[in-house]
Amino acid sequence: LAKTTQPISMDSYEGQEVNITCSHNNIATNDYITWYQQFPSQGPRFIIQGYKTKVTNEVASLFIPADRKSSTLSLPRVSLSDTAVYYCLVGDSSGTYKYIFGTGTRLKVLA
Amino acid sequence: NAGVTQTPKFQVLKTGQSMTLQCAQDMNHEYMSWYRQDPGMGLRLIHYSVGAGITDQGEVPNGYNVSRSTTEDFPLRLLSAAPSQTSVYFCASRDLAGSSYNEQFFGPGTRLTVL
């Protein structure tokens, strides 16, 4: 199972772009990279998923370099409501469906 | 759709007591899972299931039992509760046949305290 490594915490100010990088050196060929967001006292919520290059949706962008050993979640113009924990998850393509969450990155957005 | 529902929301147990945390989903998802989240920590996978009658162990299965008799329900049983099992428990489900390979839908959680 590919293990992920993320910064433990980050601070940002409202209106700034935030980039959170996740390292996954042992990612398998067929693994997808998925990011979740978790607010206090709630379950995680799916944000975005990608396999390679760049993926964008209404919430975030996901950048994946050619070697796929890392990925970067980009949140444009964050607001106070983006304060949350962000988890990077590497999909289990081996078929065992054993999805392992890392420790996540605690993002605090300041006014 | 109600999505993923969990009951109870809160529970206090004494050491040695048993109980079952309930999880249900109405999305006809084949895959269901249980995670625990200790204060200030990430989620750890307890057990998961890829369909009725099929379950498997996650990272921290000891002290917990599961069964999957229907697609909709995936109860988590604590046979003899211990203070180390004090945590927030999340249930999740996902569609194995869908295009979003890893999108799991999470329930609101059950906050369990074992005294």
Side-chain angles (χ1 to χ4, degrees), chain A residues 70-82:
Chain A
S70 66
S71 59
T72 299
L73 175 73
S74 182
L75 304 172
R77 298 179 299 282
V78 294
S79 64
L80 295 176
S81 62
D82 292 315

Side-chain angles (χ1 to χ4, degrees), chain A residues 52-65:
Chain A
K52 60 181 179 180
T53 62
K54 176 183 175 182
V55 179
T56 297
N57 62 21
E58 64 278 5
V59 177
S61 294
L62 179 60
F63 299 92
I64 305 168

Side-chain angles (χ1 to χ4, degrees), chain A residues 36 38 49 96-97 99, chain B residues 31 35 37 48 94 102 104:
Chain A
Y36 286 82
Q38 185 181 27
Q49 177 179 262
T96 63
Y97 304 107
Y99 300 112
Chain B
Y31 181 89
Y35 290 86
Q37 186 171 37
Y48 63 99
R94 64 160 283 210
N102 297 319
Q104 293 193 69

Side-chain angles (χ1 to χ4, degrees), chain B residues 27-31 93-105:
Chain B
M27 297 173 283
N28 202 32
H29 286 170
E30 302 92 339
Y31 181 89
S93 74
R94 64 160 283 210
D95 177 11
L96 291 181
S99 60
S100 291
Y101 293 95
N102 297 319
E103 180 175 3
Q104 293 193 69
F105 295 84

Side-chain angles (χ1 to χ4, degrees), chain A residues 17-72:
Chain A
E17 178 185 75
V18 171
N19 295 311
I20 305 174
T21 297
C22 178
S23 173
H24 29 79
N25 291 320
N26 297 322
I27 189 169
T29 302
N30 296 328
D31 282 346
Y32 276 69
I33 300 153
T34 311
W35 286 80
Y36 286 82
Q37 175 190 56
Q38 185 181 27
F39 296 115
S41 301
Q42 294 185 24
R45 182 177 71 105
F46 172 91
I47 301 177
I48 196 167
Q49 177 179 262
Y51 182 79
K52 60 181 179 180
T53 62
K54 176 183 175 182
V55 179
T56 297
N57 62 21
E58 64 278 5
V59 177
S61 294
L62 179 60
F63 299 92
I64 305 168
D67 66 5
R68 302 196 336 117
K69 293 184 184 298
S70 66
S71 59
T72 299

